[in-house]
Amino acid sequence: MAESATASVSDERAPLLRETETVEGVVDYKGRPVNRSMTGGWRSAAFIIGVEIAERFAFYGISSNLITYLTGPLRQSTVTAAENVNAWFGASSMLLLFGAFVADAFLGRYRTILFASLLYILGLGLLTLSAVLPSLNPSNCQDNNISRSCPPDLQVIIFFCSLYLVALAQGGHKPCVQAFGADQFDARDPKECKSRSSFFNWWYFSFNAGSLVSLTILNYIQDNMNWGLGFGIPCVSMVCALVVFLLGTKNYRYSFKDDNGSPITRITHVFLVTAKNWRTTPSASIVEEEAGETHLSHGACQYRFLDKALITAVDSPDGLNKDLKACSISEVEEAKAVLRLVPIWSTCLVYAIVFPQSSTFFIKQGATMDRSIGSSFKIPAASLQSFIGLSIVLFVPVYDCVIVPISKVFTRKPSGITMLQRIGTGMLLSMISMVVAALVEKERLKTAMLSGLVDIPEAMVPMSVWWLVPQFILFGVADVFTMVGLQEFFYSQVPDGMRSVGLSLYLSIFGIGSFLSSFLISVIEKVTSGSAQDSWFSNNLNRAHLDYFYWLLAGLSALGLVVYLYVARGYVYKRERTI
């Protein structure tokens, strides 16, 4: 599919144009039909991957060390900071649904990416401002002996407003860039379909290449030099991302809206008509008549209650449905395709609850351990997340070039294993990572007790931070399976006009997961804290019990995996059209 921004070649607003359909299905940035070989493919995808590297560098430059900034300059407790980080991650992921809806229903992906990039730059600029202005800097407040007003309320307000502005901008940017990149490969062409599957692997490779650079460079700058510089560099990175995106304008393929309107509107209409006709039953003749004109999907027998949307006002015995037009069977099948995603979406939530721990409690653990390299250099605790990115960068080529070809020999599938099998494998590895994390934390607590440091939280526990590396690596390898699998699954299984929404649906899993993680932390904090005992998340981690929390997450992961396997067995894949 191709995304056009215009309805006519003469429109002076190109490339900020309305979307339109052409006979060939491939148009340039002005809506003109072009030869397929002249646009799209890896030539266009290279620009979009470059944008992703710069954007991820910027985003992780903020998010990866956020808990350090909250517990440091903003003086928040560990629990409050963890809850705020999870809430922000959750909001960032949920806003992806809004951005994707706007793109698919109104603006188109190209124009949404452009506007979101400008908003991104504004948010990062304000974030830098909150850390740079002398009157807003907490350290300056202390130097001037201004007591408990540090940090100033104005700094906190500007910081959180700009932080959520970045979340809103990412909501429009992330799902659209990824969907726009996948749009450069036509799934109807067998060769390009294979390239599209490979694109998701290399997309995630670039995703983590950007974050890896950010974790190794920006975290050190933020911890050891200046927060203003640490926030300003991501702002410059987003300016570069916007320039790279605009440079590829003439090479992109632009998708079109079909003449039947937005698929979101059609699907909503199906559910409304079904609700109106809930007490009636569609006759077999209606279904047969529609089936004679429209292709039925392989999973047509599922969710048969939606067939009620085929009933017309004449068929309705009470005649009360004249205000709603009956749906076609193709529209009903679109609704069924979306509904089939719900069980997969919900069973992946446990994986998403585990996901935030690498950027919150894992980092607080590392901050208490021996991070020395040589006599003078210390690894920033947040930079430990670079092992996730490093393991992904190293494992993606192994997966794409070794595992897929080998598994194809046994399964006879172009992708080696199915998308759902890939997701399930990652969920298993995620569970194992939590078991490893629990065992390592138990050892850290034992070392602190034997060293007499239980009541000295600021002292370094004589245990190397390298003990934490295996759990980070397992996180990374799990992501190669589950995250990439979810990206391809939700992109390919939604109706063609909803692919931005499809990708935002997969990302919303992690938004809800972050909120659930924050809720779980709050409940455990209330249950385990008391006047005579320390909670599992005590500010003094030597008296806390993060190991208990990790064991709980491992148990939830095991339960979630069992339910997922049961649901995945009954899933019916969408059939791809061919040319």
Side-chain angles (χ1 to χ4, degrees):
M1 294 186 66
E3 177 169 341
S4 162
T6 183
S8 66
V9 177
S10 60
D11 195 328
E12 296 178 355
R13 293 173 294 174
L16 301 183
L17 313 164
R18 294 181 301 276
E19 297 182 352
T20 186
E21 181 175 4
T22 66
V23 176
E24 292 82 359
V26 177
V27 295
D28 67 7
Y29 71 103
K30 290 186 177 181
R32 299 172 298 199
V34 295
N35 191 316
R36 274 163 42 93
S37 63
M38 301 297 292
T39 61
W42 286 107
R43 178 183 352 192
S44 298
F47 286 100
I48 300 171
I49 287 175
V51 171
E52 179 66 5
I53 292 174
E55 189 272 336
R56 287 294 91 185
F57 175 84
F59 183 79
Y60 274 89
I62 304 301
S63 63
S64 62
N65 212 14
L66 187 56
I67 193 167
T68 303
Y69 189 78
L70 293 176
T71 56
L74 292 192
R75 312 287 194 271
Q76 293 187 347
S77 67
T78 300
V79 171
T80 302
E83 290 174 350
N84 280 331
V85 171
N86 285 332
W88 181 72
F89 270 115
S92 299
S93 299
M94 296 308 297
L95 284 168
L96 298 167
L97 286 170
F98 173 74
F101 172 78
V102 169
D104 284 347
F106 301 107
L107 296 180
R109 298 199 243 288
Y110 181 94
R111 185 155 46 175
T112 303
I113 293 168
L114 185 57
F115 290 160
S117 297
L118 295 172
L119 193 63
Y120 222 135
I121 294 168
L122 175 62
L124 291 172
L126 290 174
L127 198 65
T128 305
L129 184 67
S130 72
V132 166
L133 288 181
S135 61
L136 302 180
N137 194 311
S139 60
N140 289 351
C141 291
Q142 288 180 340
D143 292 340
N144 294 329
N145 295 319
I146 299 175
S147 58
R148 300 183 182 180
S149 61
C150 297
D153 291 340
L154 182 58
Q155 182 197 15
V156 176
I157 292 171
I158 293 178
F159 175 79
F160 278 103
C161 286
S162 56
L163 193 65
Y164 278 89
L165 192 61
V166 169
L168 177 61
Q170 195 219 199
H173 195 280
K174 185 173 175 59
C176 294
V177 170
Q178 190 170 6
F180 195 52
D183 284 346
Q184 308 309 307
F185 304 94
D186 194 337
R188 298 172 297 176
D189 183 324
K191 184 177 179 180
E192 289 200 16
C193 183
K194 181 180 178 181
S195 295
R196 192 185 73 181
S197 182
S198 182
F199 165 79
F200 282 103
N201 288 326
W202 291 104
W203 169 271
Y204 205 57
F205 176 92
S206 65
F207 177 106
N208 287 279
S211 62
L212 181 61
V213 176
S214 180
L215 290 167
T216 53
I217 297 176
L218 283 181
N219 289 163
Y220 179 82
I221 293 173
Q222 291 166 349
D223 283 1
N224 297 281
M225 297 175 65
N226 183 279
W227 281 99
L229 183 61
F231 289 156
I233 293 175
C235 185
V236 174
S237 176
M238 273 310 301
V239 173
C240 295
L242 178 58
V243 171
V244 171
F245 179 69
L246 293 174
L247 287 175
T249 296
K250 293 185 178 181
N251 297 298
Y252 299 141
R253 290 178 184 171
Y254 299 82
S255 66
F256 52 81
K257 290 182 182 178
D258 58 46
D259 294 332
N260 296 321
S262 167
I264 299 173
T265 303
R266 293 198 300 269
I267 290 169
T268 302
H269 183 68
V270 170
F271 284 104
L272 287 175
V273 177
T274 299
K276 281 283 186 179
N277 294 334
W278 188 254
R279 295 185 179 182
T280 59
T281 303
S283 64
S285 61
I286 295 176
V287 178
E288 290 172 2
E289 181 181 350
E290 292 281 355
E293 301 176 357
T294 310
H295 174 69
L296 279 167
S297 75
H298 182 56
C301 60
Q302 293 182 318
Y303 305 111
R304 295 294 297 271
F305 69 90
L306 288 177
D307 291 341
K308 296 176 186 291
L310 301 171
I311 302 173
T312 64
V314 175
D315 299 309
S316 179
D318 54 15
L320 296 178
N321 299 320
K322 296 180 180 180
D323 55 329
L324 285 175
K325 181 182 177 182
C327 303
S328 69
I329 204 166
S330 61
E331 292 172 337
V332 172
E333 290 307 309
E334 276 187 332
K336 289 183 179 181
V338 172
L339 198 57
R340 276 195 290 271
L341 300 176
V342 174
I344 302 298
W345 184 94
S346 57
T347 52
C348 289
L349 285 174
V350 175
Y351 180 86
I353 293 174
V354 172
F355 187 78
Q357 311 316 319
S358 63
S359 59
T360 53
F361 292 123
F362 282 14
I363 304 305
K364 296 303 293 182
Q365 278 180 276
T368 69
M369 301 170 73
D370 183 6
R371 294 176 282 121
S372 301
I373 296 181
S375 58
S376 58
F377 182 78
K378 278 191 175 182
I379 304 172
S383 292
L384 291 169
Q385 294 171 86
S386 63
F387 287 102
I388 297 178
L390 183 62
S391 61
I392 291 170
V393 167
L394 294 176
F395 190 71
V396 164
V398 172
Y399 181 88
D400 202 49
C401 302
V402 178
I403 295 179
V404 170
I406 292 175
S407 58
K408 281 169 63 176
V409 174
F410 298 98
T411 65
R412 305 295 182 184
K413 297 181 183 296
S415 58
I417 59 177
T418 67
M419 291 176 280
L420 292 177
Q421 288 171 340
R422 183 172 185 171
I423 294 167
T425 302
M427 294 174 71
L428 175 63
L429 291 172
S430 174
M431 180 192 71
I432 295 173
S433 72
M434 295 316 299
V435 172
V436 172
L439 294 173
V440 171
E441 175 61 9
K442 182 179 179 181
E443 183 66 23
R444 191 193 69 84
L445 291 173
K446 179 180 177 182
T447 302
M449 183 181 67
L450 293 176
S451 302
L453 301 175
V454 171
D455 294 316
I456 314 175
E458 66 277 5
M460 180 193 70
V461 175
M463 179 178 176
S464 174
V465 76
W466 301 116
W467 279 74
L468 297 178
V469 171
Q471 63 201 58
F472 280 101
I473 291 177
L474 281 169
F475 252 61
V477 177
D479 279 0
V480 172
F481 284 95
T482 297
M483 292 287 281
V484 180
L486 284 171
Q487 290 170 16
E488 186 176 2
F489 178 78
F490 278 91
Y491 176 86
S492 63
Q493 297 302 301
V494 296
D496 292 347
M498 291 182 62
R499 283 174 168 169
S500 293
V501 172
L503 288 172
S504 66
L505 279 173
Y506 116 76
L507 291 165
S508 71
I509 294 173
F510 297 91
I512 298 297
S514 293
F515 286 131
L516 290 176
S517 177
S518 182
F519 174 75
L520 186 62
I521 290 171
S522 297
V523 171
I524 292 174
E525 172 70 14
K526 291 180 180 179
V527 171
T528 61
S529 62
S531 57
Q533 61 181 1
D534 293 292
S535 75
W536 287 8
F537 311 115
S538 172
N539 286 335
N540 180 358
L541 287 188
N542 296 335
R543 285 196 170 275
H545 277 290
L546 292 180
D547 54 336
Y548 294 171
F549 181 58
Y550 295 154
W551 281 118
L552 175 62
L553 292 180
L556 290 174
S557 297
L559 179 61
L561 179 59
V562 171
V563 178
Y564 169 83
L565 293 174
Y566 175 79
V567 170
R569 286 184 61 186
Y571 184 79
V572 179
Y573 285 94
K574 171 187 169 185
R575 285 178 175 174
E576 292 284 3
R577 294 177 298 171
T578 58
I579 54 176

